[in-house]
Amino acid sequence: MLLLGIETSCDDTAAAVVRDGRDVLSSVATNQDEFHRKYGGIVPEIASRRHVALLSAVVDDALQRAGATFGQIDGVAVTCGPGLIGSLVVGVAAAKAYAFALQRPLYAVNHLHGHLFAPFIGRAEEPAYPFLTLLVSGGHSQLVAVSSATQMSVLGRTRDDAAGEAYDKTARLLGLPYPGGPMLDALAQRGDPNAYAFPRHRAAGNSLDLSFSGLKTSVRYFLESDAGRNAKAEDVAASFQAAVVDVLMTRLQNAYERARYCAVVLSGGVAANSALQKAFLSWAQRNGVAGFIPPAKYCTDNAAMIAAAGYYQRDAVQTDPLGLCADPNLPFELNAAPA
Ligand code: KG4
Ligand code: ZN
């Protein structure tokens, strides 16, 4: 089954052609960083205008690279939420038009479900259930128990900043350009993770929730202090990163102890982080459980993961090409997907 995936929930304009959820024939993503950098973050209006300008060329490019024609596409999978409304509507409108014109089914995919299935792209076998996912991106940070392609529950989530947001904001404090996560990661590799003891959020009681705003504020106060003004940026970056990884891994451990899982999965843009990957893989090995991380290009937003989720969830998310509406606040549970 050959699906055309379309993803425009934030600032990446992406299209992909994927066979049976795992075999990627093409995955094209144009990032808009150069248009947003001078504002220090994503400007929604600019993002949606760039999607309008780029999307049809990106879809054509994806088909060409896949060596496929529109006639060979069996269906269209599109991100319908959550995300920026102005960005989502561009992808949804285009996907509806393609599906309607081609007389093929349209699959409405939750962006976060795309991240859940990204680690299985390119693998020979289908995901084994249940698996436990640590989903850490620029907009979300949560622990998810996935019992089947269509049944999943959020065990814990961030109460304030997402992990990627904390990275980007802290990178900004260190004078790094947007998006700062990857640059902070590179800087941290040259620093001492034990140089400064930044606070680790402790969840109350049994909660598996996360919080990063206290950590970010503590780095800010430190940088404004005399010690901070003389500190090496790489040591601050490495110490911040050690605190983030520590909190994420502790919460993953807490969740893992409460149920039986066939695999643990790291996903979302922050899954590209070198220190987190290292900690995650050695933790999985110590616990004797299979650990999956997507290749870097499928950690950050892409359309292959949307086609993958659309494939696994096809019976539950097929929707009317004329009726689908983008939903910026689309709830996580699948049964809340639009009809
Ligand atoms: O999943 P994603 O592409 O977009 C959302 O759905 O949010 O994640 C983007 C986030 C950004 O905050 C970016 O700084 C962060 O992922 N990120 C990283 C790294 N690569 C991307 N954070 C830390 N280390 C990295 N290597
Ligand atoms: Zn994402």
Side-chain angles (χ1 to χ4, degrees), residues 167-179:
Y167 261 94
D168 294 339
K169 288 178 176 170
T170 304
R172 197 172 177 179
L173 295 174
L174 290 169
L176 300 172
Y178 178 85

PDB file of all heavy atoms in Angstrom, residues 167-179:
ATOM      1  N   TYR A 167      15.369  23.461  25.528  1.00  0.00           N
ATOM      2  CA  TYR A 167      16.646  23.521  24.798  1.00  0.00           C
ATOM      3  C   TYR A 167      16.754  24.833  24.029  1.00  0.00           C
ATOM      4  O   TYR A 167      17.769  25.527  24.070  1.00  0.00           O
ATOM      5  CB  TYR A 167      16.754  22.347  23.816  1.00  0.00           C
ATOM      6  CG  TYR A 167      17.580  21.212  24.350  1.00  0.00           C
ATOM      7  CD1 TYR A 167      16.994  20.143  24.998  1.00  0.00           C
ATOM      8  CD2 TYR A 167      18.960  21.212  24.228  1.00  0.00           C
ATOM      9  CE1 TYR A 167      17.745  19.097  25.502  1.00  0.00           C
ATOM     10  CE2 TYR A 167      19.730  20.180  24.724  1.00  0.00           C
ATOM     11  CZ  TYR A 167      19.115  19.126  25.362  1.00  0.00           C
ATOM     12  OH  TYR A 167      19.878  18.111  25.864  1.00  0.00           O
ATOM     13  N   ASP A 168      15.693  25.157  23.287  1.00  0.00           N
ATOM     14  CA  ASP A 168      15.748  26.360  22.433  1.00  0.00           C
ATOM     15  C   ASP A 168      15.870  27.630  23.271  1.00  0.00           C
ATOM     16  O   ASP A 168      16.623  28.540  22.930  1.00  0.00           O
ATOM     17  CB  ASP A 168      14.502  26.419  21.533  1.00  0.00           C
ATOM     18  CG  ASP A 168      14.479  25.284  20.516  1.00  0.00           C
ATOM     19  OD1 ASP A 168      15.551  24.717  20.224  1.00  0.00           O
ATOM     20  OD2 ASP A 168      13.392  24.941  20.024  1.00  0.00           O
ATOM     21  N   LYS A 169      15.139  27.683  24.399  1.00  0.00           N
ATOM     22  CA  LYS A 169      15.195  28.891  25.238  1.00  0.00           C
ATOM     23  C   LYS A 169      16.542  29.012  25.935  1.00  0.00           C
ATOM     24  O   LYS A 169      17.094  30.109  26.057  1.00  0.00           O
ATOM     25  CB  LYS A 169      14.056  28.866  26.267  1.00  0.00           C
ATOM     26  CG  LYS A 169      12.689  29.107  25.630  1.00  0.00           C
ATOM     27  CD  LYS A 169      11.587  29.018  26.665  1.00  0.00           C
ATOM     28  CE  LYS A 169      10.233  29.357  26.064  1.00  0.00           C
ATOM     29  NZ  LYS A 169       9.125  29.051  26.995  1.00  0.00           N
ATOM     30  N   THR A 170      17.076  27.891  26.404  1.00  0.00           N
ATOM     31  CA  THR A 170      18.382  27.930  27.073  1.00  0.00           C
ATOM     32  C   THR A 170      19.474  28.264  26.056  1.00  0.00           C
ATOM     33  O   THR A 170      20.400  29.035  26.359  1.00  0.00           O
ATOM     34  CB  THR A 170      18.662  26.578  27.766  1.00  0.00           C
ATOM     35  OG1 THR A 170      17.582  26.314  28.654  1.00  0.00           O
ATOM     36  CG2 THR A 170      19.963  26.617  28.544  1.00  0.00           C
ATOM     37  N   ALA A 171      19.350  27.731  24.859  1.00  0.00           N
ATOM     38  CA  ALA A 171      20.327  28.047  23.806  1.00  0.00           C
ATOM     39  C   ALA A 171      20.324  29.548  23.537  1.00  0.00           C
ATOM     40  O   ALA A 171      21.373  30.169  23.349  1.00  0.00           O
ATOM     41  CB  ALA A 171      19.981  27.275  22.538  1.00  0.00           C
ATOM     42  N   ARG A 172      19.147  30.126  23.565  1.00  0.00           N
ATOM     43  CA  ARG A 172      19.042  31.571  23.329  1.00  0.00           C
ATOM     44  C   ARG A 172      19.766  32.353  24.425  1.00  0.00           C
ATOM     45  O   ARG A 172      20.446  33.340  24.156  1.00  0.00           O
ATOM     46  CB  ARG A 172      17.559  31.935  23.289  1.00  0.00           C
ATOM     47  CG  ARG A 172      17.311  33.249  22.663  1.00  0.00           C
ATOM     48  CD  ARG A 172      15.821  33.455  22.488  1.00  0.00           C
ATOM     49  NE  ARG A 172      15.592  34.781  21.943  1.00  0.00           N
ATOM     50  CZ  ARG A 172      14.397  35.249  21.659  1.00  0.00           C
ATOM     51  NH1 ARG A 172      13.338  34.514  21.856  1.00  0.00           N
ATOM     52  NH2 ARG A 172      14.264  36.458  21.170  1.00  0.00           N
ATOM     53  N   LEU A 173      19.615  31.880  25.687  1.00  0.00           N
ATOM     54  CA  LEU A 173      20.324  32.532  26.804  1.00  0.00           C
ATOM     55  C   LEU A 173      21.832  32.460  26.584  1.00  0.00           C
ATOM     56  O   LEU A 173      22.583  33.329  27.026  1.00  0.00           O
ATOM     57  CB  LEU A 173      19.982  31.843  28.134  1.00  0.00           C
ATOM     58  CG  LEU A 173      18.538  31.932  28.634  1.00  0.00           C
ATOM     59  CD1 LEU A 173      18.349  31.071  29.865  1.00  0.00           C
ATOM     60  CD2 LEU A 173      18.166  33.375  28.922  1.00  0.00           C
ATOM     61  N   LEU A 174      22.263  31.405  25.908  1.00  0.00           N
ATOM     62  CA  LEU A 174      23.704  31.235  25.657  1.00  0.00           C
ATOM     63  C   LEU A 174      24.132  31.931  24.358  1.00  0.00           C
ATOM     64  O   LEU A 174      25.266  31.773  23.907  1.00  0.00           O
ATOM     65  CB  LEU A 174      24.045  29.735  25.569  1.00  0.00           C
ATOM     66  CG  LEU A 174      23.962  28.977  26.896  1.00  0.00           C
ATOM     67  CD1 LEU A 174      24.037  27.470  26.671  1.00  0.00           C
ATOM     68  CD2 LEU A 174      25.078  29.423  27.843  1.00  0.00           C
ATOM     69  N   GLY A 175      23.200  32.660  23.756  1.00  0.00           N
ATOM     70  CA  GLY A 175      23.542  33.431  22.557  1.00  0.00           C
ATOM     71  C   GLY A 175      23.551  32.618  21.276  1.00  0.00           C
ATOM     72  O   GLY A 175      24.094  33.058  20.258  1.00  0.00           O
ATOM     73  N   LEU A 176      22.950  31.426  21.313  1.00  0.00           N
ATOM     74  CA  LEU A 176      22.931  30.588  20.096  1.00  0.00           C
ATOM     75  C   LEU A 176      21.689  30.929  19.270  1.00  0.00           C
ATOM     76  O   LEU A 176      20.626  31.210  19.827  1.00  0.00           O
ATOM     77  CB  LEU A 176      22.899  29.099  20.471  1.00  0.00           C
ATOM     78  CG  LEU A 176      24.086  28.608  21.307  1.00  0.00           C
ATOM     79  CD1 LEU A 176      23.832  27.173  21.775  1.00  0.00           C
ATOM     80  CD2 LEU A 176      25.363  28.671  20.488  1.00  0.00           C
ATOM     81  N   PRO A 177      21.789  30.881  17.935  1.00  0.00           N
ATOM     82  CA  PRO A 177      20.628  31.206  17.099  1.00  0.00           C
ATOM     83  C   PRO A 177      19.560  30.117  17.119  1.00  0.00           C
ATOM     84  O   PRO A 177      19.848  28.966  17.441  1.00  0.00           O
ATOM     85  CB  PRO A 177      21.230  31.346  15.695  1.00  0.00           C
ATOM     86  CG  PRO A 177      22.488  30.564  15.727  1.00  0.00           C
ATOM     87  CD  PRO A 177      22.989  30.564  17.141  1.00  0.00           C
ATOM     88  N   TYR A 178      18.336  30.486  16.756  1.00  0.00           N
ATOM     89  CA  TYR A 178      17.217  29.550  16.687  1.00  0.00           C
ATOM     90  C   TYR A 178      17.342  28.638  15.466  1.00  0.00           C
ATOM     91  O   TYR A 178      17.756  29.117  14.420  1.00  0.00           O
ATOM     92  CB  TYR A 178      15.902  30.342  16.599  1.00  0.00           C
ATOM     93  CG  TYR A 178      14.714  29.440  16.473  1.00  0.00           C
ATOM     94  CD1 TYR A 178      14.108  28.902  17.600  1.00  0.00           C
ATOM     95  CD2 TYR A 178      14.244  29.068  15.213  1.00  0.00           C
ATOM     96  CE1 TYR A 178      13.053  28.030  17.475  1.00  0.00           C
ATOM     97  CE2 TYR A 178      13.195  28.190  15.090  1.00  0.00           C
ATOM     98  CZ  TYR A 178      12.605  27.681  16.220  1.00  0.00           C
ATOM     99  OH  TYR A 178      11.561  26.806  16.106  1.00  0.00           O
ATOM    100  N   PRO A 179      16.966  27.372  15.511  1.00  0.00           N
ATOM    101  CA  PRO A 179      16.584  26.607  16.703  1.00  0.00           C
ATOM    102  C   PRO A 179      17.840  26.099  17.397  1.00  0.00           C
ATOM    103  O   PRO A 179      18.691  25.456  16.784  1.00  0.00           O
ATOM    104  CB  PRO A 179      15.763  25.455  16.140  1.00  0.00           C
ATOM    105  CG  PRO A 179      16.324  25.232  14.773  1.00  0.00           C
ATOM    106  CD  PRO A 179      16.908  26.551  14.290  1.00  0.00           C
TER     107      PRO A 179
END
